[in-house]
Amino acid sequence: EVQLLESGGGLIRPGGSLRLSCAASGFSFRSHAMSWVRQAPGRGLEWVSSINSEGDNKNYADSMRGRFIISRDNSKDTLFLQVSSPGVEDTAVYFCAKGHGRFDYWGPGTLVTVSS
Amino acid sequence: DIQMTQSPSSLSASVGDRVTITCRASETINNFLNWYQQKPGKAPKLLIYSASNLQTGVPSRFRGSGSGTDFTLTISNLQPEDFATYSCQQSYSTQYTFGQGTRLEMK
């Protein structure tokens, strides 16, 4: 059974930094692209970033480029998202998802709250 | 970026009804269109990919159609577990974008 579990969310001050993790199991993690998608409170889904299976090809939503860094550790079946200098508009539940383009499995999400 | 617009934003229906949700892209996306279902406080679930292909395990009462810029998700014989929010998403451009969601409520 495919399982994805995010962690690392919490309260962060504007201008701080945070690293989110997503632990994967139940499939060959190293063989699949992975993505992050977020959802602000009461809002729709917003794609953040995707990374290929080898970790050497990354793409980002234009509005988030430079502030978010996606990475992965295939030896630990883990996906990461580094969030730097967030603003209050980055408050959201952050989901990791298997795949890119088509997101066929999702984790339950981790809430990031940006507030002073 | 390609804008995805869903209609209606919300919809009331009863168990056993058939409902249709539409999704329009701001430019042609061929059939690079996916549909997701999301229940409150839960992760989205992929229902339909490439406009009309049913994801494994999804009941056949869900049907997707369309190509180009106009797409529909039809749910036949609504079941209690189908009341949720539905979102479309394009994967034609690598700047992936979602519709704003359609909330399906019980009448």
Side-chain angles (χ1 to χ4, degrees):
Chain A
E1 179 191 4
V2 172
Q3 291 194 358
L4 300 169
L5 184 62
E6 303 89 343
S7 61
L11 177 64
I12 180 173
R13 306 296 185 196
S17 66
L18 194 66
R19 189 173 83 157
L20 306 180
S21 301
C22 172
S25 61
F27 67 103
S28 178
F29 179 76
R30 66 181 64 243
S31 299
H32 292 273
M34 297 292 294
S35 300
W36 289 97
V37 178
R38 73 181 185 181
Q39 187 170 37
R43 304 292 297 274
L45 299 164
E46 182 180 29
W47 171 73
V48 174
S49 181
S50 296
I51 186 169
N52 69 341
S53 58
E54 294 85 5
D56 58 358
N57 191 353
K58 309 170 186 182
N59 65 324
Y60 298 91
D62 289 339
S63 63
M64 302 177 210
R65 196 181 308 274
R67 298 189 299 114
F68 293 77
I69 299 175
I70 192 171
S71 62
R72 64 191 294 161
D73 185 342
N74 285 346
S75 69
K76 296 182 178 178
D77 292 350
T78 304
L79 176 72
F80 302 102
L81 184 70
Q82 182 77 32
V83 181
S84 300
S85 300
V88 294
E89 69 278 8
D90 295 315
T91 292
V93 174
Y94 285 74
F95 297 101
C96 73
K98 175 175 166 284
H100 77 94
R102 179 170 95 206
F103 311 118
D104 56 3
Y105 290 93
W106 299 60
T110 187
L111 175 62
V112 173
T113 303
V114 183
S115 175
S116 55
Chain B
D1 292 358
I2 298 174
Q3 305 302 314
M4 307 301 294
T5 304
Q6 289 181 231
S7 61
S9 295
S10 63
L11 176 60
S12 295
S14 301
V15 172
D17 285 354
R18 184 175 74 174
V19 299
T20 297
I21 298 168
T22 66
C23 178
R24 175 165 288 175
S26 60
E27 58 187 86
T28 184
I29 58 170
N30 293 341
N31 69 335
F32 289 86
L33 191 283
N34 307 310
W35 288 99
Y36 300 87
Q37 176 193 69
Q38 188 178 22
K39 297 181 179 178
K42 301 296 185 181
K45 172 186 174 183
L46 177 65
L47 297 176
I48 303 281
Y49 63 93
S50 299
S52 59
N53 294 281
L54 205 62
Q55 175 70 353
T56 302
V58 175
S60 59
R61 63 180 180 272
F62 292 90
R63 179 176 175 271
S65 64
S67 67
T69 61
D70 295 311
F71 302 86
T72 60
L73 172 68
T74 300
I75 313 170
S76 302
N77 187 25
L78 270 174
Q79 297 300 298
E81 62 268 28
D82 298 338
F83 293 94
T85 297
Y86 294 86
S87 299
C88 62
Q89 174 245 328
Q90 65 80 20
S91 56
Y92 179 81
S93 160
T94 54
Q95 289 289 303
Y96 309 124
T97 47
F98 290 84
Q100 81 279 15
T102 294
R103 184 174 177 181
L104 175 57
E105 299 175 317
M106 192 176 296
K107 188 181 292 183

